[in-house]
Amino acid sequence: MSQKILSAIDPKLRVSVLSEDEIRRIHTATMDVLETIGVRFPSEKALNILEAHGAQVDRETMIAKIPGVIAEEHLSRAPSTYTLCGLEPDFDLPLDGSHSYLGTDGCGVEIIDAFTQEKRPSTKRDVSDVGRVADALPEIAFHWVPLSAQDCPVESRGLHELDAIWNVSGKHLQTESIVSEREMRFAVEMAALLAGGREALRRRPVLSIMQCTISPLCHDAGSLEAALVAAEAGLPVGFMTMASCASTGPATLAGNLVVGNVEVLSALVLLQMAYPGCPVYYAAAQTATDLRTGAYTGGGPADYLFGAATNLLADFYRLPLSMGAFATGAKQPDWQAGVDNSLSAFMAASTGADMLLGAGLLHGSRIFSYEELLMDSEIWNMLCATLRGIVVDDETLALEVIRQVGPGGHYLAHRHTLKHMRELWQPTLMDRRPYSVWEEKRDGAREWAREKAQKILREHPGRPLEDGLRSELMKIIALAEQLS
Amino acid sequence: MDEILQKIISALDEGEDEQISLLVRQALAIGFEPMTILENALVPAMTRVGEKFACGEYFLPNLIVSAEAMKQAMFVLEPVMRQRQQMLKRAGVAVIGTVQGDIHEIGKTLVGTMLSVNGFEVHDLGVDVTPEKFVSAVAETGANLLGLSALLTTTMTVQRDVIQKLEDAGIREQVKVIVGGAPVTRAWADEIGADGYAEDAIGAVEIARRLLDVEGII
């Protein structure tokens, strides 16, 4: 992979929040739920596949009970490593178990304007602008659809969002906003156009798909059927549980993990039954319900623990993981956002989560802030440096240097310092200036982040598609609109 | 631009202090005037290092090693200039030190290095320096700048004592006093009647230049 993308590689620092025995108990409980309680699949198509492969299906309740041995057998067919591709190979992301990548968050509905600071509903132009800024940031490895293109027709909105990002960036795109079979067919067409045909798309998936489960223990018909279309085309597909302690999942963290695990695995089993060996991934963003408002806001110790625990589960099933980190209920890029996003990302990355979601959103993933995107990127930059750990060898022990400087001297002017100082992490948003300099301007991270985003928006043209591809994409969208 | 001056410029940029002495000697040997070496190589090179530091490309260690190289080059040039009765234009004469009871050294040393590279003749009295010693050093050297470093709340009061002793000796008006160190604030500087205060070595040079109305190199 190129140096154009910053990722955490083989973290030396590892956090372990569940023992092998505990993971096994969660697995056993999960299989018990799958087999004896079942999951609702409100789609004839899905139920037919499940029944044909040995699940016990109740057509009236649309609940399928999947025997554990059958679930395990089908899960074992899923590839444990594959590559998410960029439009440019420089941006390819091997999901090989040794990299963690950060993507943008999604899918917000409001944006704080980069120039006026006004908060307003998001448009397609905003999707494109955020895509352009994310394209310029080495910390951002792939895109989620960050915002809803609310000025576009409902029936083709998800396609306009893809169009907006592909027209400005060569990085991999993962959409979480296409939830119907019909729209997914057009999305696959668009992806195949850019990849150079359906077979080429299978080899180089420039698009991957995220669907959500409906906790507790349900799926959405549109999501299931859209996922089947994508899996057929060879696009990597993940299902995300957002089971929330005390409301859509048990109040206890272990129980919540079981509910989420059942949901995600049941969907992935379905996809493996339909298209054995298709690339899939585990996805999760569990949290604890706010006990005063009942809201799902993200953030807090439950999130941090889920971030680490879920990756242990995904590893147990040998599946790549996309983990919801950087989630916060904060209303502004502030102390709360900094604490939530640092700790959740640390926990997820220190267990080796393959994909981390996502940078830039506030208020429970509703409001996009450029300042937050830049700040989250700096957090990720710090974490990548932290996770690398400490190198211990003759050169880094520096015994000869210590001897030369001796007691009472200093290392500032030593060659060894010049040689290695640039390995030390350097801030771009952390304020380490003299107090008097701060006092004069009274500015800081928020202002600098905003200026940086404004500069990128003014100067970075993105990576526009050639005119031919651009108009072909629009033709596919126009067709989707006609046929709806 | 002559090749040897170009080499001096890059040696200074990279802080090659041993090599720069050789190069300066070579330049003198082939007939370059000391002032030419200074004005066409050393000063512009050091200015560029300062600019690279200001825009974030260089870090403090770069600045220090280049300043050290500058010092080495001047060790070679100065005797020759004296011999030829050429006067080096000085920005000023500075006495610096860490006050009595305090042995913190690095910050004060950095200030000395930065002052010297900016054309000050620097007399570094070291650490744990008594007020009396500061006063006599100012009197003896005719210094127009005095830098007092203190890193502890318990020793910063000595900065006030030194200023008082300068008054007592009748030489307070001769010298601008700047104070620094982690616990030192602008309010403290004002309270004890210091002329200036800075939080880091770069700031110290800036304030010294402003107080004495002289131009610097970086």
Side-chain angles (χ1 to χ4, degrees):
Chain A
M1 200 188 58
S2 88
Q3 296 300 309
K4 287 184 178 177
I5 285 174
L6 179 74
S7 60
I9 305 167
D10 283 328
K12 201 173 170 187
L13 214 155
R14 286 271 174 175
V15 165
S16 178
V17 295
L18 295 172
S19 68
E20 276 182 35
D21 181 53
E22 288 164 339
I23 293 169
R24 204 156 274 290
R25 288 189 68 180
I26 291 171
H27 170 66
T28 306
T30 299
M31 292 300 128
D32 194 341
V33 175
L34 259 182
E35 192 166 319
T36 64
I37 303 170
V39 176
R40 179 175 294 141
F41 288 82
S43 152
E44 289 299 332
K45 227 175 252 181
L47 289 174
N48 292 343
I49 295 166
L50 289 159
E51 197 168 45
H53 289 84
Q56 184 195 328
V57 167
D58 181 330
R59 294 279 167 175
E60 203 169 314
T61 59
M62 304 193 108
I63 289 173
K65 295 176 180 168
I66 310 171
V69 283
I70 294 181
E72 284 178 351
E73 182 201 327
H74 287 282
L75 276 178
S76 72
R77 296 188 176 143
S80 50
T81 63
Y82 52 88
T83 297
L84 301 178
C85 294
L87 293 183
E88 296 173 22
D90 268 354
F91 295 125
D92 283 3
L93 310 173
L95 305 184
D96 55 8
S98 62
H99 290 81
S100 291
Y101 308 107
L102 174 63
T104 43
D105 202 1
C107 177
V109 291
E110 287 185 296
I111 182 168
I112 300 169
D113 189 278
F115 294 94
T116 66
Q117 295 302 296
E118 167 210 5
K119 181 164 73 63
R120 53 176 173 72
S122 56
T123 64
K124 182 173 180 179
R125 173 68 196 269
D126 294 321
V127 178
S128 155
D129 283 349
V130 173
R132 210 148 46 84
V133 174
D135 184 77
L137 298 173
E139 290 85 0
I140 304 296
F142 66 99
H143 301 273
W144 248 23
V145 173
L147 286 158
S148 179
Q150 293 170 94
D151 54 340
C152 296
V154 175
E155 63 275 11
S156 59
R157 189 169 289 168
L159 304 178
H160 279 286
E161 290 159 358
L162 302 183
D163 179 67
I165 289 177
W166 274 329
N167 266 297
V168 293
S169 178
K171 292 182 181 176
H172 181 79
L173 173 53
Q174 184 167 91
T175 176
E176 75 287 12
S177 67
I178 296 185
V179 291
S180 77
E181 180 180 335
R182 190 190 62 79
E183 203 172 4
M184 187 63 78
R185 290 200 185 282
F186 290 107
V188 169
E189 284 306 313
M190 291 170 76
L193 175 76
L194 297 181
R198 293 293 282 259
E199 274 316 301
L201 179 61
R202 202 174 281 282
R203 283 193 306 274
R204 290 191 52 77
V206 295
L207 178 67
S208 58
I209 307 299
M210 172 77 78
Q211 301 294 351
C212 271
T213 67
I214 303 199
S215 304
L217 304 180
C218 294
H219 291 293
D220 168 66
S223 291
L224 288 172
E225 288 164 11
L228 284 164
V229 170
E232 183 183 17
L235 300 182
V237 181
F239 271 78
M240 175 182 268
T241 176
M242 296 174 75
S244 189
C245 289
S247 63
T248 56
T252 47
L253 270 62
N256 201 60
L257 281 171
V258 171
V259 166
N261 204 27
V262 171
E263 293 165 6
V264 173
L265 295 184
S266 66
L268 302 187
V269 164
L270 168 73
L271 297 179
Q272 292 304 320
M273 286 173 168
Y275 306 103
C278 66
V280 293
Y281 57 92
Y282 197 119
Q286 312 97 327
T287 190
T289 306
D290 180 67
L291 291 177
R292 295 187 189 280
T293 62
Y296 177 106
T297 63
D303 281 34
Y304 316 151
L305 288 165
F306 284 137
T310 306
N311 195 54
L312 298 176
L313 289 176
D315 280 352
F316 179 78
Y317 299 109
R318 299 177 186 283
L319 294 166
L321 172 70
S322 179
M323 190 67 214
F326 289 94
T328 182
K331 313 297 180 282
Q332 312 182 67
D334 59 8
W335 170 83
Q336 184 180 345
V339 171
D340 271 339
N341 296 359
S342 303
L343 288 173
S344 64
F346 172 78
M347 292 292 270
S350 65
T351 53
D354 303 78
M355 295 163 268
L356 266 73
L357 301 159
L361 286 180
L362 294 167
H363 186 40
S365 297
R366 292 183 190 86
I367 303 172
F368 179 86
S369 153
Y370 285 101
E371 294 167 12
E372 187 61 32
L373 176 65
L374 271 291
M375 289 180 182
D376 285 344
S377 296
E378 176 116 327
I379 289 174
W380 182 235
N381 207 306
M382 270 190 269
L383 287 179
C384 288
T386 307
L387 291 166
R388 271 199 290 277
I390 297 168
V391 179
V392 180
D393 57 25
D394 287 349
E395 175 68 12
T396 60
L397 281 169
L399 195 51
E400 197 43 46
V401 184
I402 297 169
R403 198 184 311 283
Q404 284 166 16
V405 172
H410 68 75
Y411 295 86
L412 279 164
H414 201 285
R415 288 279 136 197
H416 187 267
T417 302
L418 284 182
K419 189 173 166 194
H420 291 285
M421 66 181 180
R422 286 176 193 276
E423 295 157 20
L424 295 169
W425 184 80
Q426 289 303 315
T428 64
L429 300 179
M430 293 279 169
D431 191 353
R432 295 172 169 182
R433 297 170 299 175
Y435 192 87
S436 55
V437 175
W438 171 81
E439 207 174 20
E440 239 169 67
K441 298 183 177 165
R442 292 184 184 269
D443 58 357
R446 287 189 65 170
E447 287 78 13
W448 302 333
R450 193 186 311 151
E451 283 161 17
K452 220 170 146 183
Q454 289 175 349
K455 187 169 162 23
I456 297 172
L457 284 169
R458 273 194 306 264
E459 295 172 9
H460 182 53
R463 299 161 208 277
L465 293 171
E466 48 186 272
D467 288 347
L469 287 174
R470 200 185 177 89
S471 62
E472 286 299 315
L473 281 183
M474 280 318 291
K475 272 187 207 161
I476 298 172
I477 296 178
L479 188 65
E481 286 166 358
Q482 271 169 32
L483 293 179
S484 70
Chain B
M1 168 76 58
D2 196 274
E3 195 188 342
I4 186 89
L5 295 188
Q6 206 52 260
K7 279 186 183 163
I8 291 174
I9 288 174
S10 54
L12 190 129
D13 187 79
E14 286 158 30
E16 300 283 358
D17 49 4
E18 283 172 27
Q19 207 194 341
I20 206 165
S21 307
L22 286 174
L23 289 167
V24 171
R25 279 197 196 93
Q26 270 177 33
L28 288 170
I30 58 175
F32 278 98
E33 277 297 316
M35 282 314 273
T36 310
I37 299 171
L38 189 64
E39 286 171 1
N40 293 351
L42 296 174
V43 170
M46 199 64 217
T47 305
R48 237 186 79 216
V49 169
E51 285 164 0
K52 285 182 181 174
F53 178 79
C55 75
E57 184 186 339
Y58 273 7
F59 297 126
L60 196 55
N62 298 106
L63 220 51
I64 308 295
V65 293
S66 290
E68 289 297 333
M70 180 89 170
K71 242 195 241 176
Q72 293 307 317
M74 293 311 291
F75 281 148
V76 179
L77 284 185
E78 275 176 328
V80 180
M81 291 175 81
R82 264 198 302 276
Q83 214 173 28
R84 300 184 190 177
Q85 300 193 327
Q86 292 164 338
M87 290 297 288
L88 196 61
K89 214 175 87 198
R90 282 286 180 203
V93 177
V95 169
I96 62 166
T98 304
V99 298
Q100 189 172 20
D102 200 323
I103 54 156
H104 291 90
E105 184 151 27
I106 293 181
K108 174 267 306 166
T109 305
L110 287 181
V111 170
T113 304
M114 294 312 296
L115 285 173
S116 107
V117 83
N118 276 286
F120 281 83
E121 180 185 314
V122 177
H123 299 268
D124 186 342
L125 307 184
V127 299
D128 196 15
V129 181
T130 61
E132 292 74 17
K133 211 169 155 197
F134 276 118
V135 172
S136 58
V138 168
E140 282 161 24
T141 60
N144 54 0
L145 185 72
L146 174 62
L148 303 173
S149 175
L151 272 288
L152 303 169
T153 53
T154 49
T155 57
M156 58 195 260
T157 52
V158 181
Q159 292 176 331
R160 190 208 310 261
D161 299 344
V162 176
I163 292 172
Q164 188 56 52
K165 289 268 180 346
L166 286 170
E167 303 254 8
D168 297 347
I171 52 173
R172 176 67 186 88
E173 295 310 312
Q174 166 198 326
V175 67
K176 299 290 184 190
V177 181
I178 59 175
V179 292
V184 175
T185 61
R186 194 186 304 278
W188 171 251
D190 291 344
E191 186 188 325
I192 64 172
D195 299 296
Y197 135 89
E199 286 176 69
D200 59 11
I202 312 293
V205 172
E206 269 173 29
I207 196 87
R209 290 213 304 242
R210 204 176 322 143
L211 289 171
L212 298 171
D213 195 23
V214 290
E215 282 183 16
I217 297 171
I218 57 173

